[in-house]
Amino acid sequence: DGCSDAMFVKVLYEPGAMQIESAADGNGYKRLLQLDGVLDLTICLFTNEKIPLLADVYDVEKEIDTTTEWLQCRQLCQEFTVHHKLQAELIAEQEKNIGTVLRVCADPKVQQSYMTEQELLIKGYVTYCVLYQNLNENTLCTLKKQLPFEFRLRPQCNSQELFADVILEVEACDYLVSGENKIEITLGVESITALWEEQKIPAITGIQVSDMDIQKQNELPVFSIWVAEEQDSLWKIGKQFYVPVDRIKSVNNLTGDEIEVGQKLLIVR
């Protein structure tokens, strides 16, 4: 419930106990394989949405003390899909000539992914498995091999501080028996990559309100001229003089919240 096409899906799985038995077909011959197994799935759904957080607060008539915590967050920088082509050659033992190929499957796995100066490097391996009929013995045999792969991608976001979540999906798996004991496999793989940036942002977790000291109130100027400095904002200036931001904007005929270094502002309480 609550799923949508805009969500990013990450699926982790771990195979458990497996049992393979031969089973009889409709004619009574044991020509079928029956597989019973356990597969543990962990499914994570991510959505990219804006969450409002209270980062600062002040009042023009009260003293506000806050408790702030730094929250560890992930910012989604980019999500993209790329299609890849892999080729493999599997060779059976000499006495096992490949006849009818019953099944060819491939399982790509990502071992590591990281950003370099200009590229996203994805390394992993593909487990190829072929179920075929051995012509010499008229039996079913399997051919299995693991081969490494390496993808180099150039995302729009270039920063070594980024990290990636990569999902690989097999789009197509074609094969060709090119000899008595050799099979060539062409694999189409789709990589779905999400690039994330770790961020720490301040968030207010507690607020204490108290009356303003009368002496402090009397010391606040009714009129003053403030020259904007580096890192200044209307919010920061308003908090310093206990003046609403809207009043500063109105008195200085400002239509937006941006101010420039050196800009003079009239502050009226």
Side-chain angles (χ1 to χ4, degrees):
D1 294 336
C3 299
S4 69
D5 294 338
M7 287 185 171
F8 179 78
V9 183
K10 183 176 182 180
V11 180
L12 305 176
Y13 63 90
E14 186 71 29
M18 294 287 182
Q19 184 176 358
I20 301 178
E21 296 180 353
S22 59
D25 59 13
N27 297 322
Y29 297 100
K30 286 193 173 183
R31 295 183 293 193
L32 301 178
L33 289 179
Q34 181 175 320
L35 173 65
D36 292 325
V38 177
L39 195 64
D40 295 327
L41 292 177
T42 301
I43 302 176
C44 303
L45 297 176
F46 300 94
T47 181
N48 186 22
E49 63 180 41
K50 293 182 179 180
I51 301 176
L53 294 175
L54 187 60
D56 196 8
V57 62
Y58 75 89
D59 190 87
V60 297
E61 296 179 352
K62 299 285 186 177
E63 288 286 1
I64 306 293
D65 295 319
T66 60
T67 303
T68 303
E69 291 186 8
W70 288 89
L71 303 181
Q72 190 76 24
C73 300
R74 285 185 179 186
Q75 174 68 38
L76 180 62
C77 298
Q78 186 182 355
E79 185 178 3
F80 56 94
T81 301
V82 180
H83 303 275
H84 313 270
K85 182 179 180 181
L86 298 174
Q87 292 182 319
E89 183 179 271
L90 279 67
I91 300 177
E93 299 176 9
Q94 291 185 356
E95 66 274 10
K96 294 183 179 180
N97 292 340
I98 298 176
T100 303
V101 177
L102 304 177
R103 176 74 173 171
V104 177
C105 59
D107 184 20
K109 296 281 189 183
V110 176
Q111 289 181 301
Q112 56 178 327
S113 59
Y114 56 89
M115 292 291 300
T116 62
E117 290 184 359
Q118 297 180 340
E119 297 177 317
L120 170 64
L121 188 61
I122 303 173
K123 293 183 178 181
Y125 63 88
V126 180
T127 302
Y128 298 91
C129 188
V130 179
L131 178 64
Y132 66 94
Q133 182 185 18
N134 182 4
L135 290 179
N136 293 342
E137 301 176 2
N138 197 26
T139 57
L140 295 180
C141 299
T142 58
L143 184 58
K144 190 175 183 180
K145 189 175 184 180
Q146 280 189 353
L147 294 175
F149 68 83
E150 182 177 295
F151 299 149
R152 292 181 178 269
L153 308 178
R154 286 183 174 269
Q156 296 176 358
C157 303
N158 280 333
S159 171
Q160 294 184 357
E161 302 299 324
L162 300 177
F163 64 95
D165 281 330
V166 183
I167 297 176
L168 299 180
E169 295 183 358
V170 176
E171 294 183 298
C173 185
D174 300 322
Y175 67 90
L176 174 66
V177 180
S178 56
E180 292 182 348
N181 66 336
K182 184 168 67 174
I183 181 171
E184 298 176 358
I185 301 175
T186 301
L187 191 66
V189 177
E190 179 186 67
S191 64
I192 305 172
T193 304
L195 289 178
W196 305 87
E197 181 182 13
E198 291 279 4
Q199 290 185 344
K200 285 187 175 182
I201 58 175
I204 291 178
T205 57
I207 297 177
Q208 300 82 38
V209 181
S210 59
D211 292 331
M212 186 186 303
D213 183 81
I214 296 179
Q215 182 179 351
K216 185 175 182 178
Q217 278 185 325
N218 295 332
E219 292 175 352
L220 290 173
V222 178
F223 298 95
S224 61
I225 299 295
W226 181 261
V227 180
E229 302 173 348
E230 287 282 354
Q231 306 299 325
D232 265 353
S233 65
L234 294 181
W235 178 275
K236 182 179 178 180
I237 297 169
K239 183 177 182 179
Q240 178 178 342
F241 290 95
Y242 292 84
V243 177
V245 170
D246 288 343
R247 182 180 299 173
I248 299 176
K249 293 171 66 175
S250 175
V251 170
N252 292 273
N253 297 320
L254 300 177
T255 57
D257 294 327
E258 291 76 21
I259 55 175
E260 298 179 357
V261 175
Q263 183 174 352
K264 294 182 179 181
L265 300 172
L266 176 60
I267 309 299
V268 180
R269 278 188 50 77

